[in-house]
């Protein structure tokens, strides 16, 4: 998947060139955060549920080895074929092989952020396999040849007029249509034909149950089911951390997931796949792709508890005002910023700094990942590994000397105040990023310490 | 080493010290789910509810709503009057693509989210409740549980090859957060709640 | 009880009135306040930028200056949170830990330790409260809109003791202002947009003053207000509680 070589700050700056659009994007996602709040407040035991979900996931991570074996054994006993992929490439190769074995060159796919992470669509396209994304938002960005910007609402960055134009270009409707009802109906008709003719369907996995060897796929549109139940071969791609111990734990997660994601009490469909249809196949691919490395990082392993609800994105004031694409990675926002550096510290060194550490994300996370604390910790790791720009390093060293010495500190303060008062042009200029859109603070007569010395010290 | 071995070895080496599972039985308070709440939440997610005395009334309602020119199917023998088709005879499930109305039984409803639980056995064909244009589901009016915890309590003693919670009609808000009912699954969903008369 | 006054570096240099008001307020309430003159900074600017390992000098200095006090009080949520969470000294671990437990943000100190129930203050203006994130989500000086839990606010309760004050409602009660330390310059576009939106919320609800526990947030919003030519002013909560 092609991503820009610009960093988050630069991409966010580009995004902010159109202030009206930023307001629209921000208000849309804030609206979803409010719906989430409303739903959460209807459950008096909401905080206890979060705590339970958090503890269940802590248990899963601490016992993942046994749960993986248990799941594999039970899935196989159910007639599901289990595959293991160490990395993205291997995942893609397995999917390709399964498609070849089915003697087809086309596949329909429902939402799977894991496949986004692995670059599956691009890989298959290179090998002559056509993949149609069936989730409405995903289909739209697929036609627009863009990556999704949000893990639950893939085209939240697109206006309905733009979607109408995309459908006019690719699906043959008249120009100038923007009615969501009409556009959805268009997609329904277009994709119905796809569902009815594809022999291989790929879905993601929201939860896999070790106890029973079944897995659950949640959608509002019904597209995962339309694809899977009409295909001969159902491939399910799953990150190894998506396991839960027992079926009854689904009660906790299904109560939290959609309320956190969109404010709905549950998705329209929560489909439990246990056995393949008579004579048909279900394959599940268990993917590592860096997850075992993250599992070994004491400070960051809790990021693997994520159930991909995107509540953190909806609440993040920075995400809302910079858009998913400014994170230049499959999974954006706060959770993306603590997952991505594990995959490539150099490429994603900017992400943990794309935050004010306000802490709102950690509060909305249904599994209580300490996201904002991990962002802080990643900053220390990245700097220690040499991923701070040289200028910043130098500036920080100067700051350290100044602030560790009372004498230097007071001198520097005096100088700063003098400059602002008597030589404002030295700081009120283009070289000072603060000054671009903000006035500098006024220069007071004296500092507090000077005042205290003058007025209070005997 | 196979990838399986590689992954399992890495997991074993990197996983943290064992912590216990929490006790989630605390969430399973009460036993009775409110039909009223179920109906309200179902309406909130775009579903319909109809309280009926039995299957004859369901037949009447369906006939009145959809007429006889559309393809109506149901594996429920009490609804044979609506559908001459025997779903067991379908050779290719894709032949179900033009089903207008499908009616299946559900085990129970969940009050907190308006969902009903349906398994493969009730569907006859897994694709049926999704490919149909309109879906109707029948439950006993008193088969309502309060929360998903209770739901899984009931499910725990059952086996299925496929089962799903269905909460209203298919929908999407992917286009500028505008809610549209009827995405890829059914455009409408009705729950017929059979109310048992006293005595 | 002897209280050590910790004045954040930028408050010391640019907003001394907030510190003066803090000192006077504490003294009015009968507190014996000392001000170690050799204090500098809590080290947060380096730590939040990933240079935690450079904060040792600041840490040592902080411990040297403040170890002897019964309590340490600062007119800042973020500095107090930073000390609470990140102050450590390998040479003096016990002193560091002790300080973490006895350092308080001002409104938390007034509420939890002094248990202030009345104030002799008057501020006849429409005031918007900015809920600075570190004080709120880090120190729990008020409830958070994300959580399903009872509502409370130490700053708001104290402001309600001030005569003739009118507290306005906001559209988004606790959204971040976008200052974020070095974020304010490294992600300038988003930082300013966040600040503009916060300011607009206050303006839309008729604020004459915007107040809060953290001067950093207020400094950022003030910069935007002044650039807009607005008459609305920012003021640290200590100055309101000490007013009239």
């Amino acid at each position: 998947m092609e991503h820009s070589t610009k960093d988050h700050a630069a991409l966010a700056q580009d995004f902010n060139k159109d202030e009206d659009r930023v307001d629209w994007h921000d208000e849309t996602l804030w609206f979803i955060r409010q719906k989430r709040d409303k739903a959460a407040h209807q459950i008096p035991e909401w905080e206890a549920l979060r705590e339970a979900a958090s503890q269940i996931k802590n248990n899963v991570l601490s016992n993942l080895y046994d749960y993986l074996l248990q799941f594999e054994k039970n899935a196989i006993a159910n007639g599901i074929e289990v595959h293991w992929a160490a990395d993205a490439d291997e995942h893609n190769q397995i999917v390709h092989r399964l498609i070849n074995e089915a003697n087809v060159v086309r596949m329909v796919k429902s939402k799977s952020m894991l496949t986004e992470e692995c670059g599956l669509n691009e890989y298959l396209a290179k090998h002559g396999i056509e993949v149609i994304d069936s989730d409405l938002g995903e289909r739209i960005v697929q036609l627009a040849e863009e990556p999704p910007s949000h893990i639950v609402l893939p085209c939240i960055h697109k206006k309905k007029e733009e979607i109408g134009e995309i459908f006019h270009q690719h699906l043959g409707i008249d120009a100038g249509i923007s009615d969501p009802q009409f556009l959805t109906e268009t997609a329904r008709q277009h994709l119905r034909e796809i569902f009815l003719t594809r022999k291989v369907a790929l879905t993601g996995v929201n939860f896999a149950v070790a106890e029973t060897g079944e897995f659950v796929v949640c959608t509002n549109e019904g597209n995962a089911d339309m694809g899977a139940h009409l295909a001969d071969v159902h491939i399910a791609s799953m990150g190894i951390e998506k396991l839960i111990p027992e079926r009854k734990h689904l009660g906790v997660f299904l109560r939290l997931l959609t309320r956190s994601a969109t404010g709905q009490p549950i998705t329209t469909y929560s489909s439990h796949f246990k056995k393949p249809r008579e004579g048909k196949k279900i394959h599940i691919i268990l993917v590592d792709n860096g997850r075992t490395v993250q599992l070994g990082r004491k400070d960051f392993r809790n990021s693997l508890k994520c159930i991909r609800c995107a509540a953190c994105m909806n609440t993040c004031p920075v995400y809302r005002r910079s858009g998913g694409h400014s994170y230049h990675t499959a999974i954006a926002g706060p959770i993306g910023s603590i997952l991505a550096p594990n995959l490539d510290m150099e490429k994603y060194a900017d992400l943990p700094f794309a935050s004010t550490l306000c802490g709102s994300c950690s509060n909305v996370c249904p599994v209580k990942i300490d996201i904002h604390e991990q962002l802080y910790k990643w900053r220390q790791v990245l700097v220690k590994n040499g991923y701070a720009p040289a200028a910043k390093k130098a500036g920080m060293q100067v700051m350290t000397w100044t602030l560790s010495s009372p004498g230097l500190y007071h001198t520097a303060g005096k100088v700063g105040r003098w400059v602002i008062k008597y030589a404002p042009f030295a700081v009120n200029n283009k070289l000072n990023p603060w000054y671009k859109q903000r006035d500098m603070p006024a220069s007071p007569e004296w500092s507090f310490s000077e005042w205290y010395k003058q007025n209070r010290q005997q | 080493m196979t990838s399986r071995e590689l992954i399992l070895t890495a997991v074993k080496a990197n996983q943290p010290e064992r912590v216990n599972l929490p006790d989630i039985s605390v969430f399973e308070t009460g036993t009775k789910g409110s039909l009223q709440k179920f109906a309200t939440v179902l309406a909130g997610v775009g579903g319909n509810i109809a309280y009926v005395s039995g299957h004859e009334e369901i037949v009447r309602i369906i006939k009145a709503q959809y007429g006889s020119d559309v393809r109506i199917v149901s594996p429920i023998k009490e609804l044979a009057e609506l559908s001459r088709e025997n779903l067991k005879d379908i050779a290719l499930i894709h032949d179900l693509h033009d089903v207008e109305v499908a009616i299946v039984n559900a085990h129970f409803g969940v009050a907190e989210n308006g969902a009903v639980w349906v398994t493969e056995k009730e569907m006859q064909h897994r694709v049926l409740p999704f490919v149909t244009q309109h879906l109707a589901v029948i439950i006993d009016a008193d088969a309502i549980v309060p929360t998903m915890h209770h739901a899984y309590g009931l499910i725990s003693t059952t086996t299925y090859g496929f089962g799903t919670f269905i909460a209203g009609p298919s929908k999407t808000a992917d286009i500028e957060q505008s809610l549209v009912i009827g995405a890829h699954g059914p455009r409408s969903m009705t729950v017929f709640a059979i109310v048992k008369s006293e005595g | 009880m002897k209280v050590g006054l910790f004045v954040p570096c930028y408050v010391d240099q640019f907003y001394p009135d907030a510190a003066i008001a803090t000192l006077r307020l504490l003294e009015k309430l009968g507190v014996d306040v000392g001000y170690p003159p050799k204090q500098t900074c809590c080290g947060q600017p380096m730590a939040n930028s990933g240079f935690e390992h450079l904060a040792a000098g600041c840490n040592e200095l902080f411990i040297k200056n403040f170890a002897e006090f019964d309590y340490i009080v600062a007119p800042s949520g973020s500095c107090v949170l930073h000390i609470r969470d990140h102050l450590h000294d390998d040479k003096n671990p016990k002193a560091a830990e002790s300080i973490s437990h006895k350092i308080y943000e001002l409104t938390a100190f007034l509420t939890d330790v002094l248990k202030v129930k009345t104030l002799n203050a008057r501020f006849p203006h429409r005031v918007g409260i900015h809920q600075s994130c570190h004080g709120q989500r880090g120190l729990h000086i008020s409830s958070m809109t994300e959580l399903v839990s009872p509502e409370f606010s130490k700053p708001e309760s104290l402001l309600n003791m001030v005569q003739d004050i009118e507290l306005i409602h906001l559209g988004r009660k606790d959204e971040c202002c976008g200052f974020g330390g070095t974020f304010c310059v490294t992600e300038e576009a988003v930082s300013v947009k966040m600040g503009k939106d916060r300011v607009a919320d206050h303006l839309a609800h008729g604020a004459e003053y915007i107040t809060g526990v953290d001067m950093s947030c207020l400094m950022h919003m003030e910069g935007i207000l002044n650039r807009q030519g607005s008459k609305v002013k920012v003021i640290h909560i200590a100055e309101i509680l000490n007013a009239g």
Side-chain angles (χ1 to χ4, degrees), chain A residues 8-9 12-13 16 19 22-23 26-27 30 33-34 36-37 40-41 43-44 46-47 50 315 317-318 320-322 350 353-360 363-364 373 376 379-380 383-384 388 392-393 396-397 399-400 402-406 409-410 412-414 416-417 420 432-444 446-452 456-457, chain C residues 5 7-17 19-20 23-24 27 33-35 37-41 43 45-58 61 65 82 85-86 133-134 137 144-149 171-176 178-180 182-194 196-198 216 219-220 222-224 226-227:
Chain A
H8 180 273
Q13 186 169 54
N16 273 274
E19 190 167 1
V22 173
D23 287 337
D26 165 67
E27 277 154 20
W30 181 256
R33 152 79 207 272
Q34 288 177 299
R36 171 254 169 219
D37 286 356
H41 278 81
I43 311 278
W46 180 259
E47 298 300 333
R50 286 180 69 219
T315 199
V318 175
R320 281 186 271 111
R321 294 175 182 82
S322 56
D350 57 324
F353 293 92
S355 163
T356 57
L357 304 180
C358 80
S360 188
N363 276 351
V364 298
E373 281 163 18
Y376 175 88
R379 296 178 181 189
Q380 315 306 325
V383 165
K384 276 208 189 72
K392 196 180 202 181
K393 241 191 280 189
M396 282 295 143
Q397 190 56 66
M399 210 184 230
T400 303
T402 314
L403 296 172
S404 310
S405 150
Y409 159 73
H410 284 294
K414 245 210 202 87
R417 278 178 282 126
I420 290 179
N432 178 4
W434 175 280
Y435 192 72
K436 198 166 168 201
Q437 303 186 71
R438 290 166 285 209
D439 281 358
M440 292 289 283
S443 182
W446 38 36
S447 67
F448 174 80
S449 36
E450 285 165 0
W451 176 91
Y452 191 87
R456 285 311 179 82
Q457 229 145 29
Chain C
L5 180 63
V7 179
C9 52
Y10 59 95
V11 173
D12 177 31
Q13 295 297 326
F14 293 105
Y15 296 98
D17 287 343
I20 295 169
L23 174 65
R24 286 187 171 143
E27 289 174 339
V33 184
Y35 172 70
K38 287 202 164 69
Q39 60 181 278
T40 57
C41 170
M46 284 89 78
N48 278 3
S49 301
F51 292 83
E52 199 178 45
H53 57 282
L54 290 181
C58 282
L61 202 52
N65 280 307
H82 175 77
D85 283 354
H86 299 294
C133 301
H134 296 125
R137 294 192 186 83
M144 304 160 245
T145 57
E146 301 96 0
L147 299 182
V148 178
S149 62
R172 298 186 191 180
K173 202 166 176 189
D174 53 10
E175 189 180 28
C176 178
F179 175 73
T182 49
F183 180 90
C184 76
V185 290
T186 57
E187 288 258 3
E188 184 265 346
V190 177
S191 171
V192 169
K193 180 59 183 154
M194 284 167 70
K196 280 167 83 174
D197 289 348
R198 280 295 77 230
S216 46
M219 170 172 73
H220 167 68
E222 179 187 58
I224 290 167
N226 288 346
R227 182 58 61 92

Side-chain angles (χ1 to χ4, degrees), chain A residues 321 434 437-442, chain C residues 10 15 127-133 168 170 172-181 184 190-203 207-237:
Chain A
R321 294 175 182 82
W434 175 280
Q437 303 186 71
R438 290 166 285 209
D439 281 358
M440 292 289 283
Chain C
Y10 59 95
Y15 296 98
V127 176
I129 302 177
H130 175 67
Q131 304 266 34
S132 299
C133 301
I168 61 166
L170 292 169
R172 298 186 191 180
K173 202 166 176 189
D174 53 10
E175 189 180 28
C176 178
C177 70
F179 175 73
C184 76
V190 177
S191 171
V192 169
K193 180 59 183 154
M194 284 167 70
K196 280 167 83 174
D197 289 348
R198 280 295 77 230
V199 160
D201 195 355
H202 286 268
L203 293 179
E208 292 173 58
Y209 286 87
I210 302 177
T211 193
V213 304
D214 262 296
M215 216 54 229
S216 46
C217 309
L218 296 173
M219 170 172 73
H220 167 68
M221 286 189 277
E222 179 187 58
I224 290 167
L225 283 164
N226 288 346
R227 182 58 61 92
Q228 292 175 350
S230 170
K231 289 194 173 49
V232 173
K233 302 233 161 299
V234 304
I235 184 169
H236 190 272
I237 194 171

